[in-house]
């Protein structure tokens, strides 16, 4: 008679779920996110953080609004458009003197003397600004038509708007963009934007 | 009149409560009339106070390490150096002169705690979420974040003595008085409310005062039609160079209990310090 195998169901330890993102190698867009067992036969896939995977699966982050940054076999979401935080929709660009993180993805510089704003993407994202810790070029694929809006407002108060600036990603890829100051600004002002990158910094040029 | 505000902090690995108390003290100094702007700090680490840029913002610094966390606040009547005191939670900010509130309380009360708080739009906050213990056990709905008391008073002695006894024996009091809905942690609000109920002094220490308003920023008190964990996910905290605050597009003029401790950052401290130094 065969010996019955009795499983101790109360003490089963479930293995940690690993999540994968399946992507289109031509466009870099994510096609699907799920547990790794769902993609066993797929060629173009990379591991993805559980937190980000769950946000996509639960609908808190739109699948189609993310692009993949493929770097050493790891998925890094370079564009984050979460759907529920005010800080992602209306993100204040922090003054460099108060920034804890010195790495810059997009730098906005202001010259009071010349009355201009300059916008520069970091070098590793295909722009012109050199971060002190030089990173490898992030192989990023994204839609160049993606629009960015920058709102020049009263200091730490987006309720009072002075000037609106619109740029596309294609505008600042490989070059710095200069925009004229349209109106008189107070001594202290802030700049808000819809968040596409992690680290934005505002810098005042010495005049 | 010997009046002042009392702030109680203790060292914590996750939150810099001293920084919050410092910001609150500066906002008090920047907005309240002389005679109504003194601040006493109770702390378990006096050396850390001296590392602040303007430690003189605290008129008294009292070293005390007998209790940790909010339990220390239950000793406020013994720790305060003032004859009349308002003990505050440290994650709060002041935005205009409230000295007329103090004049009223000194004339009319030995103890006063508000029984309602407001959301950022100035509406009375209906709390069906955080205060089940109060509702189910018919406790007076006291908010100890703003506690006024007169030191030399039998009522004050009895109220706080019993409150301390309740905090020291949470299980016993919960089992007898809070059986309909026991709190996970019996905090200062619950203890003082229970003390008021047992002593039968609810109607003496709290009543409707339209002018005394504290904005309470716990996310589920904001009257939004969806559940939320953090209020700052939905509205911005806009603190300008004049130390004026807008939450979303609502300018705040009453005391604000901002709850999320990261709101007072180095930039906020810098603005408050600059105003303080200009005023000095």
């Amino acid at each position: 008679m065969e010996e019955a195998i009795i499983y101790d169901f109360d003490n089963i330890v479930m293995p940690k779920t690993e999540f994968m993102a399946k992507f289109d190698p031509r466009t870099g867009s994510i096609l699907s996110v799920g547990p790794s067992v769902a993609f066993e036969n797929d060629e173009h896939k990379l591991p993805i953080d559980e937190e980000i995977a769950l946000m996509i699966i639960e609908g808190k982050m739109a699948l189609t609004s993310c692009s993949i940054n493929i770097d050493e076999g790891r998925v890094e979401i370079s564009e984050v458009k979460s759907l529920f935080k005010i800080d992602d929709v209306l993100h204040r660009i922090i003054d460099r003197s108060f920034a804890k993180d010195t790495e810059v993805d997009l730098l906005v510089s202001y010259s009071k003397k010349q009355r201009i704003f300059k916008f520069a993407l970091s070098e590793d994202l295909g722009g012109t600004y050199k971060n002190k810790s030089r990173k490898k070029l992030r192989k990023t694929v994204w839609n160049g038509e993606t629009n960015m809006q920058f709102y020049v407002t009263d200091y730490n108060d987006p309720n009072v708007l002075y000037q609106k600036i619109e740029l596309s990603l294609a505008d600042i890829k490989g070059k710095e963009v200069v925009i004229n100051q349209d109106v008189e600004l107070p001594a202290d002002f802030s700049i808000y934007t819809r968040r596409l990158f992690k680290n934005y910094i505002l810098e005042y040029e010495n005049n | 009149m010997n009046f002042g505000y009392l702030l109680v902090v203790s060292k914590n690995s996750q939150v810099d409560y001293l920084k919050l108390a410092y910001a609150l003290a500066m906002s008090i100094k920047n907005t309240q009339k002389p005679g109504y702007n003194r601040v006493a700090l109770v702390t378990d680490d006096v050396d850390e106070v001296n590392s602040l840029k303007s430690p003189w913002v605290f008129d008294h610094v009292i070293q005390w390490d007998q209790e940790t966390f909010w339990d220390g606040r239950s000793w406020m009547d013994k720790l305060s150096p003032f004859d009349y005191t308002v003990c505050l939670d440290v994650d709060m900010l002041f935005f205009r002169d409230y000295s007329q509130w103090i004049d009223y309380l000194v004339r009319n009360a030995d103890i006063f705690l508000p029984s309602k708080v407001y959301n950022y739009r100035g509406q009375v906050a209906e709390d069906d979420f955080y205060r089940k213990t109060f509702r189910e056990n018919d406790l007076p709905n006291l908010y100890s974040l703003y506690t006024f008391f007169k030191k030399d008073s039998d009522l004050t002695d009895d109220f706080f003595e019993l409150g301390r006894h309740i905090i020291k024996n949470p299980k016993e009091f919960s089992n007898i008085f809070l059986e309909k809905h026991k709190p996970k942690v019996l905090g200062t609000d619950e203890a003082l409310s229970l003390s008021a109920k047992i002593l039968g002094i609810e109607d003496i220490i709290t009543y409707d005062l339209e002018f005394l308003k504290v904005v309470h920023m716990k996310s589920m008190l904001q009257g939004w039609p969806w559940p939320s964990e953090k209020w700052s996910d939905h509205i911005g905290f806009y603190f300008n160079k004049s130390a004026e605050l807008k939450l979303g597009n609502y300018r705040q003029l009453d005391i604000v209990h901002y709850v999320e401790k990261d709101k007072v950052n180095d930039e906020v401290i810098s603005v408050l310090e600059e105003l303080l130094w200009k005023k000095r």
Side-chain angles (χ1 to χ4, degrees):
Chain A
M1 191 171 72
E2 271 185 42
E3 202 175 295
I5 301 169
I6 299 169
Y7 293 98
D8 183 4
F9 288 106
D10 291 334
N11 291 314
I12 285 180
V13 175
M14 298 301 291
K16 193 168 159 33
T17 305
E18 283 184 348
F19 288 90
M20 287 283 194
K22 179 179 159 182
F23 63 93
D24 183 332
R26 292 168 302 146
T27 64
S29 57
I30 299 177
L31 301 174
S32 182
V33 168
S36 56
V37 292
F39 301 109
E40 274 176 359
N41 299 324
D42 289 291
E43 186 188 345
H44 301 292
K45 61 185 179 189
L46 284 168
I48 185 171
D49 275 347
E50 182 180 349
E51 189 188 344
I52 296 172
L54 288 174
M55 280 173 75
I56 294 171
I57 290 166
E58 290 167 10
K60 291 176 183 170
M61 187 188 295
L63 183 67
T64 53
S65 66
C66 297
S67 17
I68 300 285
N69 177 2
I70 304 164
D71 187 7
E72 292 177 5
R74 223 188 105 71
V75 170
E76 187 186 301
I77 304 292
S78 58
E79 272 189 40
V80 176
K81 292 184 208 175
S82 59
L83 302 176
F84 58 94
K85 285 191 181 179
I86 187 74
D87 187 56
D88 293 321
V89 176
L90 194 63
H91 172 72
R92 180 170 161 230
I93 299 180
I94 194 92
D95 189 316
R96 192 187 272 284
S97 58
F98 292 112
K100 287 191 164 52
D101 195 339
T102 53
E103 292 301 309
V104 178
D105 291 328
L106 193 149
L107 177 74
V108 183
S109 312
Y110 172 68
S111 167
K112 188 176 178 180
K113 192 175 177 186
Q114 295 176 287
R115 295 170 61 92
I116 55 171
F117 296 95
K118 294 185 203 169
F119 296 83
L121 213 53
S122 66
E123 237 182 11
D124 55 287
L125 286 173
T128 56
Y129 176 76
K130 290 179 175 47
N131 273 301
K132 280 186 183 148
S133 63
R134 290 170 190 255
K135 292 187 209 166
K136 251 171 67 169
L137 180 68
R138 282 187 261 173
K139 199 169 149 192
T140 310
V141 181
W142 45 29
N143 183 356
E145 293 306 309
T146 302
N147 250 335
M148 297 184 290
Q149 289 93 29
F150 298 90
Y151 305 96
V152 184
T153 73
D154 230 357
Y155 183 82
N156 203 1
D157 187 358
N159 295 289
V160 182
L161 177 67
Y162 291 106
Q163 184 175 345
K164 181 181 167 185
I165 299 168
E166 282 198 52
L167 299 170
S168 70
L169 274 176
D171 289 338
I172 57 172
K173 200 107 198 259
K175 58 185 188 299
E176 186 182 67
V177 171
V178 176
I179 303 283
N180 291 327
Q181 177 187 331
D182 275 350
V183 297
E184 287 309 310
L185 294 177
D188 300 303
F189 62 85
S190 290
I191 301 182
Y192 287 83
T193 187
R194 181 174 60 97
R195 195 175 197 161
L196 296 181
F197 306 106
K198 275 187 200 165
N199 295 328
Y200 294 77
I201 294 287
L202 174 60
E203 200 171 61
Y204 297 92
E205 289 186 355
N206 291 327
N207 300 303
Chain B
M1 179 182 68
N2 182 13
F3 165 78
Y5 291 96
L6 182 71
L7 312 179
V8 181
V9 301
S10 63
K11 222 166 166 60
N12 184 284
S13 57
Q14 288 173 328
V15 178
D16 187 349
Y17 284 105
L18 177 61
K19 187 176 184 175
L20 307 187
Y22 181 49
L24 174 53
M26 286 194 284
S27 75
I28 290 171
K29 284 280 192 273
N30 285 340
T31 54
Q32 305 308 295
K33 275 186 345 205
Y36 297 83
N37 63 354
R38 279 182 291 173
V39 182
L41 176 75
V42 175
T43 176
D44 56 0
D45 189 348
V46 173
D47 290 336
E48 213 188 335
V49 178
N50 294 327
S51 68
L52 298 169
K53 274 188 190 162
S54 309
W56 47 263
V57 76
F58 299 112
D59 300 276
H60 301 269
V61 179
I62 301 158
Q63 167 89 33
W64 191 77
D65 56 7
Q66 301 307 303
E67 302 285 350
T68 56
F69 234 52
W70 51 73
D71 286 357
R73 296 182 65 250
S74 67
W75 289 87
M76 59 177 86
D77 59 318
K78 301 298 180 198
L79 294 167
S80 174
F82 308 115
D83 294 337
Y84 300 93
T85 306
V86 169
C87 184
L88 299 164
D89 277 8
V90 295
D91 50 344
M92 292 165 78
L93 288 169
F94 279 30
F95 295 101
R96 62 181 171 90
D97 184 29
Y98 309 116
S99 54
Q100 70 275 23
W101 301 3
I102 305 306
D103 287 337
Y104 175 88
L105 292 172
V106 166
R107 275 199 310 272
N108 295 284
D110 282 8
I111 303 172
F112 183 86
L113 290 85
S115 54
K116 58 184 178 185
V117 290
Y118 295 77
N119 63 29
Y120 75 103
R121 296 188 302 283
Q123 301 160 334
V124 176
E126 302 293 339
D127 189 349
D128 294 326
F129 187 82
Y130 301 106
R131 294 220 147 187
K132 292 186 176 72
T133 297
F134 291 77
R135 205 175 51 246
E136 297 299 318
N137 296 291
D138 201 28
L139 289 181
N141 194 37
L142 302 182
Y143 289 90
S144 67
L145 42 70
Y146 185 104
T147 304
F148 168 85
F149 62 90
K150 178 180 167 187
K151 218 172 163 72
D152 183 24
S153 157
D154 291 338
L155 187 71
T156 302
D157 289 342
D158 292 343
F159 175 67
F160 284 107
E161 200 61 51
L162 180 55
R164 279 191 283 278
H165 192 58
I166 294 168
I167 286 179
K168 285 294 176 201
N169 302 279
K171 280 192 184 148
E172 291 80 354
F173 279 90
S174 290
N175 288 339
I176 298 170
F177 295 100
L178 305 178
E179 55 181 354
K180 288 185 182 165
H181 191 283
K182 289 182 194 167
K184 283 184 193 163
V185 175
L186 205 159
T188 316
D189 282 354
E190 287 85 350
L192 295 183
S193 295
L194 185 52
S195 173
K197 183 174 178 179
I198 293 171
L199 292 172
I201 57 172
E202 305 99 297
D203 294 337
I204 299 173
I205 72 170
T206 192
Y207 40 86
D208 240 353
L209 272 184
E210 284 306 313
F211 56 81
L212 201 157
K213 290 184 179 171
V214 178
V215 172
H216 200 323
M217 286 308 294
K218 272 189 170 163
S219 57
M220 296 298 285
L221 297 183
Q222 305 315 311
W224 291 324
W226 56 80
S228 86
E229 219 175 287
K230 287 178 69 175
W231 62 263
S232 61
D233 280 349
H234 307 288
I235 56 169
F237 180 93
Y238 305 122
F239 191 85
N240 69 16
K241 289 248 172 160
S242 303
E244 294 165 348
L245 174 67
K246 280 185 190 165
L247 294 173
N249 56 351
Y250 286 83
R251 170 97 183 266
Q252 300 301 312
L253 293 173
D254 297 310
I255 299 175
V256 172
H257 179 40
Y258 48 87
V259 177
E260 290 175 23
K261 316 294 189 258
D262 61 344
K263 292 299 162 277
V264 165
N265 52 25
D266 291 343
E267 189 180 2
V268 168
I269 296 287
S270 170
V271 166
L272 289 167
E273 281 175 338
E274 208 173 302
L275 286 170
L276 187 71
W277 297 334
K278 277 183 192 162
K279 208 173 170 187
R280 207 173 182 211

